[in-house]
Amino acid sequence: MATNRAAKALGTGLTTGFLTYLESKKNLAGSACGVAGLGLGFAGVGGSYWPVVVAGLYGAGALIAPPERVPPPHYPDVAEQLGVVREDFGRLREYLAEVDLPPAAGGKLAELMELYAALLDPGWVADALAADPEAVHSLSRAIRLDVPECVDTYNRTRWWTRLTPGGESPERHLERQLTVLYDEAERVTASLREAEARRQQTHTTYLEERGRS
């Protein structure tokens, strides 16, 4: 049965490759030259060797035809990525709504989620965020990986701690992790604010120079 599947796959691949070649520039150019060769054959050029002339012209046409252009891969732009991050943020909120956290960590997580929501809220803030691919990457990584991993690790570690108490509490680790993520989000916010300030200063300088000229 495996042999039959392999043979079928090979046959499908050969058929697809043949059809692709039929539509290629090389075949079209070769065919055009071959038709010209047929015309020469009907005109008596080449005599009994007209099939050789046709085949030669077809081959020449196929050789001189430009190669097929393979389109480069498409990657979503930053605005598209930001839309996907918003969807991931919505899924993260749904996940966190089902998780029971201690008050201190829960409060820090709520502050973090509010900051993420403010950055992702459609409008001029999100436009500023979209202009900074590194900031989008940082926010995406935190939403898709860091926050879920922190919360999930806390839940798993808390269960083991009940069996073998001792050491620093999982709650404390979670608070520290969320604090680091909050500080990182604040740095992203500060970077965006500085970029907006530079943009404003640049525009002011432009207007002043235009006024002097």
Side-chain angles (χ1 to χ4, degrees):
M1 183 175 291
T3 303
N4 291 338
R5 285 198 299 267
K8 184 177 180 180
L10 178 60
T12 301
L14 292 174
T15 301
T16 301
F18 177 71
L19 293 176
T20 300
Y21 179 75
L22 287 179
E23 299 174 350
S24 68
K25 294 178 181 178
K26 288 186 176 295
N27 181 56
L28 295 177
S31 297
C33 291
V35 170
L38 283 175
L40 293 174
F42 290 142
V45 178
S48 61
Y49 294 100
W50 68 266
V52 177
V53 174
V54 172
L57 288 174
Y58 175 88
L63 286 175
I64 64 175
E68 294 293 325
R69 178 180 176 272
V70 179
H74 169 72
Y75 299 104
D77 58 25
V78 178
E80 290 178 300
Q81 294 178 24
L82 204 56
V84 175
V85 175
R86 286 194 187 97
E87 295 176 0
D88 294 337
F89 181 60
R91 285 189 286 269
L92 177 62
R93 276 181 155 173
E94 294 174 359
Y95 163 69
L96 295 177
E98 304 296 326
V99 177
D100 182 28
L101 297 178
K108 178 58 68 176
L109 180 61
E111 294 177 6
L112 179 62
M113 298 298 286
E114 288 177 4
L115 187 50
Y116 288 162
L119 289 170
L120 291 171
D121 188 38
W124 67 269
V125 176
D127 292 341
L129 178 63
D132 189 340
E134 289 298 324
V136 174
H137 173 72
S138 176
L139 190 60
S140 173
R141 180 185 58 197
I143 290 173
R144 294 173 176 171
L145 179 64
D146 295 332
V147 174
E149 180 67 18
C150 289
V151 175
D152 185 60
T153 301
Y154 161 75
N155 282 324
R156 288 185 283 111
T157 307
R158 180 178 59 172
W159 186 85
W160 286 106
T161 303
R162 291 172 179 172
L163 298 179
T164 55
E168 192 169 9
S169 68
E171 290 81 2
R172 178 55 182 158
H173 274 293
L174 179 59
E175 290 175 36
R176 290 167 57 189
Q177 292 166 355
L178 294 176
T179 298
V180 171
L181 290 175
Y182 186 85
D183 292 343
E184 182 182 66
E186 281 198 319
R187 286 194 295 271
V188 170
T189 305
S191 175
L192 296 178
R193 182 171 60 247
E194 291 171 3
E196 288 296 311
R198 288 194 299 269
R199 189 175 294 108
Q200 184 184 37
Q201 180 60 47
T202 299
H203 191 60
T204 300
T205 302
Y206 161 74
L207 292 176
E208 291 173 346
E209 292 178 351
R210 189 179 71 179
R212 286 193 293 268
S213 63

